[in-house]
Amino acid sequence: MLQAEAFTANQLRDAWPILSSDERLEGFQLLVPAEADEFFLMLSSADQAMLITAVAPADARRWMRLLAPDDAADVIQSVGEEVRPALLTMLDPPTGHEVRALLAYAEDEAGGLMNPRFARVRPDMEVVEAIRYLRKQAGRVEAIHYVYVLEADQRLAGIISFRELFQYPDDTLVRDVMHTDVITVPPDLDQEALGRLYVDTDLFAIPVVDAEGRMQGIVTFDDIADVVREEATEDIQKLGGSSVLPGPYLEVRARDMIRSRAGWLAILFLGELLTASTMGYFEAEIAQAVVLTLFLPLIISSGGNSGSQATTLVIRAMAIGEVRLRDWWRVFRREVLTGLGLGAILAVLGLLRVVLGEALGHSYGEHYFALGLTVALSLVGVVLWGTLMGSMLPFLMRKLGFDPASASAPFVATLVDVTGLIIYFGLAAVLLRGTLL
Amino acid sequence: MLQAEAFTANQLRDAWPILSSDERLEGFQLLVPAEADEFFLMLSSADQAMLITAVAPADARRWMRLLAPDDAADVIQSVGEEVRPALLTMLDPPTGHEVRALLAYAEDEAGGLMNPRFARVRPDMEVVEAIRYLRKQAGRVEAIHYVYVLEADQRLAGIISFRELFQYPDDTLVRDVMHTDVITVPPDLDQEALGRLYVDTDLFAIPVVDAEGRMQGIVTFDDIADVVREEATEDIQKLGGSSVLPGPYLEVRARDMIRSRAGWLAILFLGELLTASTMGYFEAEIAQAVVLTLFLPLIISSGGNSGSQATTLVIRAMAIGEVRLRDWWRVFRREVLTGLGLGAILAVLGLLRVVLGEALGHSYGEHYFALGLTVALSLVGVVLWGTLMGSMLPFLMRKLGFDPASASAPFVATLVDVTGLIIYFGLAAVLLRGTLL
């Protein structure tokens, strides 16, 4: 299907993620004009902004005028404050007006993502009139997949898909066949909620309607596909215990990479310092029964691992709307059961390890069975504790107004480490009193 | 915008994620028929299958016939083998034929996701003819957003958006205005690659073309939005160290929840048992210098945390195509720099902790400064090692044909724990020989 001249554009698209900015600009300028237009429209706003600010002003003007108002607004939002006025003046006056209106909305809300150019008809038009009227609009609007039926005061009366409109006899009134149970969103709806709505409804475009019911624009799925992926990437990066990277992995400079990761790592380290203090508190017990320390990494890591599992599952379930704040008690009950079950499994493995280790030659001393029981019971306690901390922290974070994803796997593991030590040495102090201790 | 009778459908949609299967069926049967149809079409295949297998056969037939062939195939694929033939016979014969053809493709490939009903015209039609011809097809096809231009032998000659077609004068030949540089995919393209292509290109639908260039169907964005989110969820669950849950978090039964998590947790535990053996190897050193153990959790957790960060960032960058297998060397060099930088930061904090701890009253003995240096150097080594393991394991996994996301944060942390111990006690043996040891 690829033709010779199209091949270059496709090659460039494939290579794009691994090219430097200079190479991208160079490759882009090698495209034949017809391809360059299409290629340009496919790029992300950040890439479009990069090209526009790098080429000669005459070219920049041509590219700016190629963009739909919502996309032009995105490009303007991704350049520095000082360049924005110049880019705005490159637009034709009516578009410039529309773009300024869009810039008034936050970039990550429905109002900032919407396109004010949509296909519209009046409710009292006949189908044949409506189709003729749409044909006139076709060059101006972003999409004619859905047709919005507006009253004279711009209030949204209903919606009809173009495909449906096409099937009715010529003299049918639009009012009689339009759908009136329309899903709409307010201009200040957050993009994360918008993303969920798209995935849940499979709609191609969602109308943005102000408090008076007046139609403001449409947000189309392509503006949202990027958002859904971006949100997932940010959540994953936070789950791994980093800040969100300022760009694609291979493009972030070493200094910025260290900065994004050092913050959380240092905070976790400071938290982890508590383990040294806690260990200091138990120094006498450790000196008396060095054998206890052999199982220390095993026990605290098991708590950390079970906490990582729980926090990851709960954070994701929250992000996609499966679990809400008010479900915390249902989650708590589930995780008590799960934590006890998982703890019991590891306890059996741990006890076996001590008993078999003793049988196979490593001597843990005459009280090896009591030691094994201490390890096993500690595992139940630590795993249950890790599971509960991991599952409840995202709720606490959200309740306090933070992003639940901040309760990252390393964060939970660090919290569980300190309590894991206390559980282990505390149980040892009780169970091994008079024998090892 | 919501009308009284529509409110119920919207209420049901909102409550859906937290209802049991029985409550869902009950709520669904309370909807008025016109709403029920739309509501049904919005549901996931799994939910559609649940409803169809729960209602009376006459109703089931009506719902099955409401589905487009690709959606019907998805429903049939999500029920048990024994129910499939009954559902297939509910379809009208031509649709049944199309659905059987789709079932021959894997569910997670382009062929299994595509819809064989798309809007088509011939290259030698005039625009006015093409529009008339499309109007006849409108009831049958899934979408008329893009119109596919097919030669007599079904080979795809080009594509034109409906909106463009609409703008040309009536007597223009389709051949003269269609686009010929079309992005197509083969029927066996994996859904993950398809998801990436959608996010990269912002296309509404992508044509599926066989090896001879013959058009087989289209995959539309709504089939893919779910896939993009599902893949992210599966990746996140694996990153947290679980298997993929068999359903939404609150719907998975306790037994299945434990099963999904116990496998990895037990494997990690068995790996972590190596720490007990390693510690046993250093038992003499530990008995001689108990003070060494105080910093043990701190050091191995820092390695685990830096490994979690690195593996999460690299796995996500791979999943969204920012990093490819051949980039491993670029990633390695970056992570050497990053690991050294992060290790140095933690080393300074660690040295400060020992020196300040000594000054503030906890006595680490006369060789406290040597101890501090050992802790600091171990941190550099452990963090560098964690960073490199975390960033390289996803490459190794992919190279070996596994999912890179299996190199989960807990998995990397466990691997780093054992080596962290060796680095710490090894450095201590060298640096503290003749003083503490």
Side-chain angles (χ1 to χ4, degrees):
Chain A
M1 185 47 50
L2 295 174
Q3 305 206 328
E5 76 271 19
F7 195 58
T8 323
N10 279 292
Q11 271 187 319
L12 184 58
R13 203 185 57 235
D14 283 347
W16 196 260
I18 57 162
L19 296 182
S20 70
S21 297
D22 287 351
E23 289 167 336
R24 288 178 176 182
L25 180 58
E26 199 180 318
F28 181 69
Q29 288 175 325
L30 287 174
L31 296 178
V32 298
E35 281 178 18
D37 285 11
E38 266 187 66
F39 189 85
F40 178 77
L41 290 176
M42 265 190 200
L43 292 175
S44 70
S45 309
D47 286 336
Q48 287 170 341
M50 185 273 287
L51 291 176
I52 283 177
T53 50
V55 296
D59 287 333
R61 170 186 303 264
R62 206 174 87 70
W63 298 121
M64 280 305 290
R65 293 198 171 198
L66 211 58
L67 293 169
D70 56 335
D71 297 327
D74 289 344
V75 165
I76 288 173
Q77 263 159 340
S78 48
V79 300
E81 290 281 358
E82 68 289 354
V83 194
R84 290 183 189 178
L87 293 190
L88 268 169
T89 56
M90 287 180 180
L91 298 168
D92 60 89
T95 309
H97 185 74
E98 285 173 322
V99 169
R100 277 193 195 85
L102 292 177
L103 288 173
Y105 293 105
E107 207 180 342
D108 56 353
E109 290 178 353
L113 289 164
M114 75 186 177
N115 188 332
R117 298 177 180 176
F118 48 88
R120 63 187 81 194
V121 297
R122 293 252 176 273
D124 45 9
M125 282 180 169
E126 290 182 352
V127 163
V128 63
E129 269 181 290
I131 292 178
R132 205 180 311 129
Y133 185 52
L134 286 170
R135 201 159 164 188
K136 276 193 219 141
Q137 296 171 47
R140 245 196 113 252
V141 302
E142 181 171 4
I144 54 172
H145 195 69
Y146 298 132
V147 178
Y148 300 90
V149 188
L150 301 195
E151 305 284 3
D153 61 358
Q154 301 297 307
R155 281 192 310 111
L156 178 58
I159 183 175
I160 184 161
S161 84
F162 194 83
R163 188 164 70 105
E164 288 173 313
L165 199 63
F166 235 40
Q167 297 173 60
Y168 289 110
D170 280 348
D171 59 351
T172 318
L173 273 186
V174 169
R175 185 186 298 285
D176 296 334
V177 291
M178 70 186 187
H179 302 267
T180 54
D181 51 333
V182 185
I183 292 174
T184 66
V185 296
D188 60 353
L189 189 76
D190 168 63
Q191 65 178 5
E192 220 173 326
L194 207 52
R196 276 202 292 276
L197 194 57
Y198 270 89
V199 177
D200 289 347
T201 61
D202 287 349
L203 290 170
F204 169 77
I206 296 183
V208 181
V209 165
D210 69 13
E212 283 76 41
R214 284 190 305 261
M215 178 92 180
Q216 303 293 307
I218 54 172
V219 183
T220 48
F221 81 98
D222 52 322
D223 300 316
I224 287 301
D226 298 346
V227 168
V228 169
R229 191 167 76 163
E230 224 169 79
E231 297 277 350
T233 298
E234 292 183 4
D235 275 1
I236 288 176
Q237 293 180 342
K238 286 188 212 151
L239 277 170
S242 308
S243 307
V244 172
L245 292 188
Y249 176 86
L250 284 175
E251 288 171 31
V252 176
R253 283 178 310 175
R255 229 181 45 196
D256 294 332
M257 178 66 88
I258 292 179
R259 192 176 301 148
S260 302
R261 288 156 68 168
W264 264 110
L265 210 56
I267 291 172
L268 294 173
F269 185 83
L270 294 178
E272 203 64 55
L273 279 178
L274 286 177
T275 60
S277 313
T278 313
M279 295 280 286
Y281 183 77
F282 291 111
E283 206 171 348
E285 283 85 352
I286 296 170
Q288 207 177 332
V290 169
V291 71
L292 276 181
T293 62
L294 304 192
F295 298 97
L296 187 63
L298 179 70
I299 286 168
I300 60 179
S301 299
S302 297
N305 289 341
S306 59
S308 297
Q309 282 190 338
T311 199
T312 312
L313 294 178
V314 169
I315 288 169
R316 183 60 182 169
M318 273 187 178
I320 59 180
E322 283 174 9
V323 164
R324 300 164 197 214
L325 198 49
R326 62 168 182 265
D327 294 321
W328 73 271
W329 178 241
R330 290 178 69 188
V331 172
F332 184 86
R333 281 180 313 180
R334 296 188 70 105
E335 292 295 328
V336 169
L337 261 179
T338 308
L340 285 174
L342 294 173
I345 292 171
L346 296 195
V348 170
L349 291 175
L351 185 58
L352 273 176
R353 169 67 177 79
V354 176
V355 173
L356 282 179
E358 182 69 24
L360 294 175
H362 187 295
S363 173
Y364 297 118
E366 54 174 326
H367 302 294
Y368 76 93
F369 196 77
L371 177 68
L373 273 185
T374 307
V375 169
L377 277 179
S378 300
L379 282 168
V380 175
V382 164
V383 169
L384 177 61
W385 178 252
T387 304
L388 292 179
M389 290 279 272
S391 54
M392 290 298 108
L393 264 177
F395 287 100
L396 185 68
M397 289 285 176
R398 171 162 284 186
K399 182 80 189 169
L400 296 177
F402 296 110
D403 182 348
S406 309
S408 64
F411 183 58
V412 169
T414 297
L415 281 178
V416 173
D417 276 356
V418 180
T419 37
L421 283 175
I422 297 175
I423 290 174
Y424 181 44
F425 286 120
L427 272 175
V430 174
L431 294 177
L432 303 177
R433 183 183 307 275
T435 55
L436 273 170
L437 293 176
Chain B
M1 186 48 52
L2 295 174
Q3 304 204 327
E5 75 272 18
F7 194 57
T8 323
N10 279 292
Q11 271 188 318
L12 184 59
R13 202 186 56 236
D14 283 348
W16 195 259
I18 58 162
L19 296 181
S20 69
S21 297
D22 286 351
E23 289 168 336
R24 287 178 176 181
L25 180 59
E26 198 180 319
F28 181 69
Q29 288 176 326
L30 287 173
L31 296 178
V32 298
E35 282 179 17
D37 285 9
E38 266 186 67
F39 189 85
F40 179 76
L41 291 175
M42 266 191 201
L43 292 174
S44 70
S45 308
D47 285 336
Q48 288 170 341
M50 185 272 287
L51 291 177
I52 283 176
T53 50
V55 297
D59 286 333
R61 170 186 304 265
R62 205 174 88 70
W63 298 120
M64 279 304 291
R65 293 197 170 200
L66 210 58
L67 293 169
D70 54 336
D71 297 327
D74 289 344
V75 165
I76 289 172
Q77 264 160 339
S78 47
V79 300
E81 290 281 356
E82 68 289 355
V83 193
R84 290 184 189 178
L87 293 189
L88 268 169
T89 55
M90 288 180 179
L91 299 167
D92 61 88
T95 309
H97 184 74
E98 285 172 323
V99 171
R100 276 192 196 85
L102 292 177
L103 288 173
Y105 292 105
E107 204 180 345
D108 56 353
E109 290 178 353
L113 290 164
M114 75 187 178
N115 187 332
R117 298 177 181 176
F118 48 88
R120 63 187 80 195
V121 297
R122 293 252 176 272
D124 45 9
M125 281 180 170
E126 291 182 351
V127 163
V128 63
E129 268 182 292
I131 292 179
R132 206 180 312 128
Y133 185 52
L134 286 170
R135 201 159 164 186
K136 276 194 218 138
Q137 297 170 46
R140 239 196 118 254
V141 301
E142 180 171 6
I144 54 172
H145 194 69
Y146 297 132
V147 177
Y148 299 90
V149 188
L150 301 196
E151 303 284 3
D153 61 358
Q154 302 296 308
R155 280 193 310 110
L156 179 58
I159 183 175
I160 184 161
S161 82
F162 194 83
R163 187 165 69 107
E164 288 173 314
L165 199 63
F166 235 40
Q167 295 174 62
Y168 289 110
D170 280 349
D171 60 350
T172 318
L173 272 186
V174 169
R175 184 186 299 284
D176 296 334
V177 291
M178 70 187 186
H179 302 268
T180 54
D181 52 333
V182 185
I183 293 173
T184 66
V185 297
D188 59 353
L189 189 76
D190 168 62
Q191 65 177 5
E192 221 173 325
L194 206 52
R196 276 201 293 276
L197 194 57
Y198 270 89
V199 177
D200 290 347
T201 61
D202 287 349
L203 289 172
F204 168 78
I206 295 182
V208 181
V209 165
D210 70 12
E212 283 77 39
R214 283 190 305 260
M215 177 92 180
Q216 303 293 307
I218 53 172
V219 182
T220 49
F221 81 98
D222 52 322
D223 300 316
I224 288 300
D226 299 345
V227 169
V228 169
R229 191 167 75 163
E230 224 170 78
E231 297 278 350
T233 299
E234 292 182 4
D235 275 1
I236 288 177
Q237 293 180 343
K238 286 188 213 153
L239 277 170
S242 308
S243 306
V244 172
L245 292 188
Y249 175 86
L250 284 176
E251 289 171 30
V252 176
R253 282 179 310 175
R255 231 181 43 196
D256 294 332
M257 178 67 88
I258 292 178
R259 193 175 301 147
S260 302
R261 288 155 69 169
W264 264 110
L265 210 56
I267 291 172
L268 294 173
F269 185 83
L270 295 179
E272 203 64 53
L273 280 178
L274 285 177
T275 60
S277 314
T278 313
M279 295 279 286
Y281 183 78
F282 290 111
E283 206 171 348
E285 283 85 351
I286 296 171
Q288 208 177 330
V290 169
V291 72
L292 275 182
T293 61
L294 305 191
F295 298 98
L296 187 63
L298 179 70
I299 286 169
I300 60 178
S301 298
S302 297
N305 288 341
S306 59
S308 296
Q309 282 190 339
T311 198
T312 311
L313 294 177
V314 169
I315 287 170
R316 184 58 183 171
M318 274 187 177
I320 59 180
E322 283 174 10
V323 164
R324 299 163 198 215
L325 199 50
R326 62 170 182 264
D327 293 321
W328 73 271
W329 179 240
R330 290 178 68 188
V331 172
F332 184 86
R333 280 180 313 181
R334 295 188 72 104
E335 292 295 328
V336 169
L337 261 179
T338 309
L340 285 174
L342 294 173
I345 292 171
L346 297 195
V348 170
L349 291 175
L351 185 58
L352 273 177
R353 169 67 177 79
V354 176
V355 173
L356 282 179
E358 182 70 24
L360 294 175
H362 188 295
S363 174
Y364 297 118
E366 55 174 326
H367 301 295
Y368 76 92
F369 196 76
L371 176 68
L373 273 186
T374 307
V375 169
L377 278 179
S378 300
L379 282 168
V380 175
V382 164
V383 169
L384 177 61
W385 178 252
T387 304
L388 292 179
M389 290 279 273
S391 55
M392 291 297 110
L393 264 176
F395 287 100
L396 186 66
M397 289 286 177
R398 171 163 282 184
K399 183 79 189 169
L400 295 178
F402 295 111
D403 183 348
S406 309
S408 65
F411 183 58
V412 169
T414 297
L415 280 178
V416 172
D417 276 356
V418 181
T419 38
L421 284 175
I422 297 175
I423 291 173
Y424 181 42
F425 286 120
L427 271 174
V430 173
L431 294 176
L432 303 177
R433 183 183 305 276
T435 55
L436 273 172
L437 294 177

